[in-house]
Amino acid sequence: MPLREDDPESIGGYRIESRIGTGGMGVVYLARSASGRAVAVKVVHTQYADDPEFRARFRQEVAAARRVSGAFTAPVVDADPEAALPWMATAYVPGDTLAQRVAAQGPLDWPRLKRLGGELAEALREIHRAEVVHRDLKPSNVLLLDSPGGTGGDDGSGGGDGGMTRVIDFGISRAAHSDVRTQTGLVMGSPPFMAPEQFSSPRDVGPPVDVFALGALLVYAATGRSPFEAENAYLAAYQTVHNDPELGSLPEELRPLVMSCLAKSPQDRPTPVQVLGVLAALPDAPSEARSGSLPDAPSHTAPDADTPSEPRERTGDATSEPRERTGDATFALSTAATARRPRRGRRFKVALVGAVALAALIGTGVSAAFLGGTEPATAEAGDAKAGVPAGWKPWHVAAQKDEDGMMPSSESCTPHAQGVYCSSPTTALTRRDPLTGKVSWTKPLHRPKQVSGYSVTDPVLGAGAVFVYSAEGSGGVDAYDARSGKRLWRLPGPHAEFQFLSGVLVVHKGELGASPTSTYAAYDPRSGRELWSHEVTSDAAGAFYAGPDGTLFADLRLAGRKGAPGSSEIARYDARSGRKLGATKAPKGDLWLATVHEGKGYFARWEDGSGVSSRFFIQDLTSGKVRGIDFPWAVEPEAPPLVRGDAMYLFDYANETVLALDLKRGKPLWTTSRELRIFSEPSVRGDTLYATMPDSSVIAVDTRTGRERWRSAPSFTDPEDPKGGSVDDRSPSGTAPLALKGVIYGVTDEGTFSVAAKARGGAGAKR
């Protein structure tokens, strides 16, 4: 990766040669010592250099990494945590991360899989002997040397018998007996590779959490998926705590060992030494019954940052639709968000629980007349002026806890002008009155005795109807009238996902799998009549996006496979007839089509497979004209950016901030403070941005300056800790607050609520 103009020439006497990657907290460079030794230098981002909390964490990382030695970790060469920009140099390991290797070449074969397990177990043995717990062992923190045999070189990484594996990034590790507390702003782990106790008792974790991660990594390396794969980190956490792992095509010989590593109780897991003993006794080849069962790797060429290749959506470990195991049956998760999120499987930090229902509501031109009135949602500019609707009072409804009383139940809610709509494992759909929060009506599962499971999805609204997924039979889509709750029609499944776009319901038919060819169909939202059906070949997880004037855009980009040509086409269709109206070529490079707004496509570029981005490309999807925008630092755009007028607002969920950019000038406008801790996707009304906070309050921010205007009181408080306490085990909400006629509606882990928007500058405008 080439250097940028503002990159340093040297750090601590090490000459910088190129960038290796960029993360949410820093940049990693390839550098040389005075003697010519290659090292990897990690430099903290400028905005964290003055943060005492982060400096303490960085000192802890350096200390932990220095304590660890062995053939399968990258040793620390030098460090200066007290420098103006803290840095650490480790031996350079020339290779890919396990995530990059699996994404580019597919699952590992048996010899490499067995060897990976043994070398990871040896690495954990040495880490634990140093009384360090890694706590974040995942595919992007495991490096594989360029040569699987481990060839030597001048990098100090080992060779010959040095192995092919290196464990890196001790950024959240700690001494096994340390009493270091979880600090605000940093997430301790990465679902779905975290152990159950990291969710239920995060301050009491020990070495067994790394053994659990080892088991999950073996499943990932063998199948391309985590054993607890899910659409978002909340579901991954829930499945980790409650469900059995999905082992897929994991070779039979490894299953007993992996299941013991993935035991729910830490006491039931083996030690790294015991893992080594079991692996050593396994045969050099899998049994004939399992031989050849690993899926073939797709023929992909690794992207080159200097020479952009034909673009495709990076899939990482998410090569098929996430599934939730319920009893004897599994059902594909179906949400409006699936096609809108990057399916990289690279960074699963705090969750994005909701879908993009708010974006669909605003972006597709659905009328938002409140409570049957005639005032459109766009009539109000910014904060409340006309007061709240007659009869409204603030309300909140707490989410029910699961059967263990530990985590919220998997109820999923969408606020809308016509009500707050929720689905759950026991109820197909519930409408709450937006004035009172009370239940207006409930629609049960149609044939509960025939349903052995239910995949909860955010209700999707459009054209006066509500669409939900039902697990009845083989699964399907149910449509209800948004006001009366009358069932309008049902589309039997299976279906991978559905979205309301440009006035029609677009359904991805069948279960989403590894095949690039899928069938999409559009339906009239009120009658359920099929309008058109197309077979689509694309690498995108969800191909269609809403366009202006009743059009749809389809991401038809496809990497070449086995001699077949690829495609770089973004096509335009008539939403009602399905007729193709035109096409343009997408920008080159490894890009994710994050969103489409007013006929323009917004593409995020990944930083060398790191899961973060520091550049967007904006393309007119009619003329094909492209321009780029650089971010002031690398962000993690796990959800689509919000585009309003000449500004783009992006929720950087790793740092819990909102970044605003001026699209005309291509410059950043402002960013919220990390100490503020934005805890949801944002929404914008007029010149005010709204977001929820960790304590379930709502904050209003001036879109021109980024300054806080006011903040509501929290809607939920813990009686045992009324001041809020630690929120590090909570998940940011993927559902943005909805502002309608002086009222703000929000969805958090704690439940749903409504609060009054405060008049600008009015009494109590800021706590």
Side-chain angles (χ1 to χ4, degrees):
M1 185 183 301
L3 293 173
R4 299 179 181 176
E5 292 183 1
D6 56 348
D7 283 329
E9 294 182 0
S10 66
I11 293 288
Y14 296 92
R15 178 171 49 85
I16 303 299
E17 292 188 347
S18 64
R19 283 187 170 215
I20 296 175
T22 304
M25 299 299 177
V27 181
V28 182
Y29 298 100
L30 172 61
R32 295 274 175 183
S33 67
S35 64
R37 183 185 191 186
V39 295
V41 181
K42 179 178 181 179
V43 183
V44 172
H45 282 315
T46 304
Q47 68 266 30
Y48 300 123
D50 296 327
D51 184 344
E53 177 184 311
F54 184 82
R55 277 188 179 268
R57 286 258 167 220
F58 191 75
R59 290 189 202 100
Q60 179 176 297
E61 175 180 1
V62 172
R66 277 178 163 158
R67 295 173 67 180
V68 174
S69 62
F72 304 109
T73 57
V76 175
V77 175
D78 199 356
D80 188 356
E82 308 305 328
L85 290 179
W87 59 272
M88 175 175 64
T90 63
Y92 172 61
V93 181
D96 295 332
T97 66
L98 178 60
Q100 291 170 325
R101 185 68 60 87
V102 171
Q105 301 178 16
L108 304 186
D109 58 20
W110 173 260
R112 285 179 173 81
L113 185 63
K114 181 183 175 184
R115 181 171 185 173
L116 172 70
E119 293 183 356
L120 285 175
E122 282 196 50
L124 291 183
R125 180 188 64 188
E126 298 305 315
I127 291 170
H128 295 167
R129 280 177 177 175
E131 296 189 327
V132 171
V133 184
H134 192 287
R135 297 203 297 169
D136 197 21
L137 199 61
K138 58 184 177 181
S140 60
N141 283 342
V142 175
L143 286 177
L144 304 181
L145 274 65
D146 286 334
S147 169
T151 59
D154 66 350
D155 50 39
S157 60
D161 295 332
M164 73 173 186
T165 308
R166 298 290 183 273
V167 173
I168 62 169
D169 198 349
F170 291 80
I172 67 170
S173 63
R174 67 173 183 175
H177 306 295
S178 169
D179 62 354
V180 173
R181 295 289 181 176
T182 299
Q183 301 295 317
T184 55
L186 292 177
V187 181
M188 300 294 104
S190 303
F193 296 93
M194 293 166 63
E197 62 267 30
Q198 288 178 276
F199 303 109
S200 59
S201 184
R203 306 194 196 286
D204 301 322
V205 300
V209 303
D210 293 339
V211 175
F212 187 95
L214 168 61
L217 281 173
L218 286 174
V219 176
Y220 173 84
T223 68
R225 293 170 56 84
S226 158
F228 302 101
E229 195 72 47
E231 174 58 27
N232 56 59
Y234 169 75
L235 285 177
Y238 187 89
Q239 292 181 176
T240 299
V241 172
H242 294 281
N243 294 356
D244 294 332
E246 293 283 357
L247 302 185
S249 55
L250 183 74
E252 197 68 39
E253 288 79 1
L254 276 177
R255 289 178 175 242
L257 173 62
V258 167
M259 287 299 292
S260 65
C261 290
L262 297 177
K264 302 299 184 187
S265 173
Q267 293 78 14
D268 294 337
R269 296 172 205 148
T271 66
V273 173
Q274 291 171 326
V275 172
L276 279 170
V278 173
L279 287 170
L282 293 181
D284 293 332
S287 64
E288 185 175 350
R290 299 294 298 178
S291 179
S293 63
L294 296 179
D296 294 334
S299 178
H300 289 324
T301 302
D304 187 320
D306 295 322
T307 307
S309 60
E310 202 69 21
R312 61 185 174 87
E313 175 169 296
R314 182 175 294 280
T315 56
D317 62 345
T319 54
S320 60
E321 183 68 2
R323 305 177 69 87
E324 182 177 40
R325 186 182 179 100
T326 48
D328 297 327
T330 56
F331 296 100
L333 287 172
S334 162
T335 93
T338 305
R340 291 296 214 237
R341 294 196 187 135
R343 306 186 57 77
R344 303 188 306 281
R346 297 216 189 298
R347 292 181 69 88
F348 292 85
K349 295 230 174 188
V350 286
L352 293 173
V353 180
V356 291
L358 179 64
L361 165 66
I362 300 173
T364 56
V366 180
S367 171
F370 185 54
L371 297 176
T374 58
E375 180 181 6
T378 55
E380 181 183 358
D383 293 318
K385 295 179 180 179
V388 300
W392 174 86
K393 291 183 179 180
W395 57 263
H396 63 271
V397 179
Q400 295 181 350
K401 300 294 182 180
D402 62 18
E403 58 185 10
D404 296 329
M406 186 183 69
M407 302 175 68
S409 66
S410 44
E411 181 181 63
S412 188
C413 300
T414 300
H416 186 271
Q418 295 181 339
V420 179
Y421 298 87
C422 300
S423 59
S424 76
T426 58
T427 303
L429 187 65
T430 296
R431 177 189 182 270
R432 293 190 178 276
D433 188 317
L435 289 177
T436 65
K438 296 181 179 179
V439 173
S440 303
W441 45 257
T442 295
K443 299 299 173 182
L445 299 177
H446 306 300
R447 300 176 184 175
K449 293 183 179 180
Q450 298 184 16
V451 179
S452 57
Y454 189 90
S455 293
V456 178
T457 68
D458 292 324
V460 175
L461 288 104
V466 189
F467 310 96
V468 293
Y469 176 79
S470 170
E472 177 187 342
S474 59
V477 181
D478 285 313
Y480 297 88
D481 183 84
R483 293 193 177 279
S484 67
K486 178 183 177 182
R487 188 181 182 186
L488 300 175
W489 50 273
R490 184 171 196 275
L491 181 65
H495 302 305
E497 69 206 6
F498 54 92
Q499 301 175 83
F500 183 74
L501 303 171
S502 298
V504 299
L505 189 72
V506 179
V507 178
H508 187 168
K509 306 186 78 171
E511 295 183 1
L512 186 63
S515 172
T517 301
S518 305
T519 298
Y520 285 82
Y523 296 85
D524 182 280
R526 299 297 300 183
S527 68
R529 178 174 61 90
E530 182 177 305
L531 302 174
W532 52 262
S533 177
H534 288 314
E535 188 175 84
V536 173
T537 301
S538 170
D539 283 326
F544 284 90
Y545 297 78
D549 303 321
T551 62
L552 296 169
F553 287 99
D555 185 355
L556 303 183
R557 292 176 296 164
L558 180 71
R561 288 174 171 82
K562 297 181 180 179
S567 170
S568 61
E569 184 175 272
I570 305 293
R572 184 162 53 98
Y573 293 88
D574 182 278
R576 294 289 298 184
S577 69
R579 181 171 60 91
K580 188 174 182 179
L581 303 175
T584 189
K585 287 188 176 181
K588 291 184 178 181
D590 183 25
L591 307 175
W592 168 49
L593 180 52
T595 192
V596 173
H597 181 70
E598 294 183 349
K600 293 183 176 64
Y602 294 79
F603 298 82
R605 184 181 71 186
W606 305 133
E607 287 290 333
D608 197 29
S610 64
V612 299
S613 179
S614 62
R615 187 168 175 80
F616 256 77
F617 294 93
I618 304 174
Q619 181 179 42
D620 186 307
L621 296 178
T622 300
S623 68
K625 185 178 179 180
V626 180
R627 60 190 178 94
I629 292 181
D630 287 308
F631 296 161
W633 61 83
V635 299
E636 296 190 50
E638 283 291 327
L642 178 65
V643 180
R644 289 292 175 267
D646 294 325
M648 179 167 73
Y649 307 93
L650 194 145
F651 178 41
D652 181 2
Y653 84 108
N655 296 310
E656 295 170 348
T657 61
V658 171
L659 173 65
L661 296 111
D662 185 323
L663 297 178
K664 277 190 173 181
R665 297 185 300 156
K667 302 289 185 181
L669 286 170
W670 48 262
T671 183
T672 55
S673 167
R674 179 169 165 264
E675 285 71 29
L676 191 62
R677 297 199 71 184
I678 299 298
F679 225 57
S680 79
E681 293 294 314
S683 63
V684 170
R685 289 287 306 278
D687 59 359
T688 304
L689 178 144
Y690 300 97
T692 55
M693 306 297 286
D695 62 358
S696 73
S697 61
V698 174
I699 188 172
V701 174
D702 189 318
T703 57
R704 295 164 297 185
T705 65
R707 294 177 180 173
E708 179 179 342
R709 282 183 169 159
W710 53 260
R711 197 183 309 192
S712 72
S715 291
F716 299 95
T717 56
D718 185 349
E720 298 180 359
D721 190 1
K723 293 184 178 181
S726 173
V727 296
D728 291 305
D729 56 351
R730 300 180 192 173
S731 298
S733 175
T735 303
L738 175 64
L740 286 174
K741 202 172 183 180
V743 178
I744 312 294
Y745 297 88
V747 178
T748 70
D749 275 357
E750 288 84 1
T752 57
F753 63 88
S754 73
V755 296
K758 299 180 181 180
R760 189 173 304 147
K766 188 174 181 180
R767 291 187 300 140

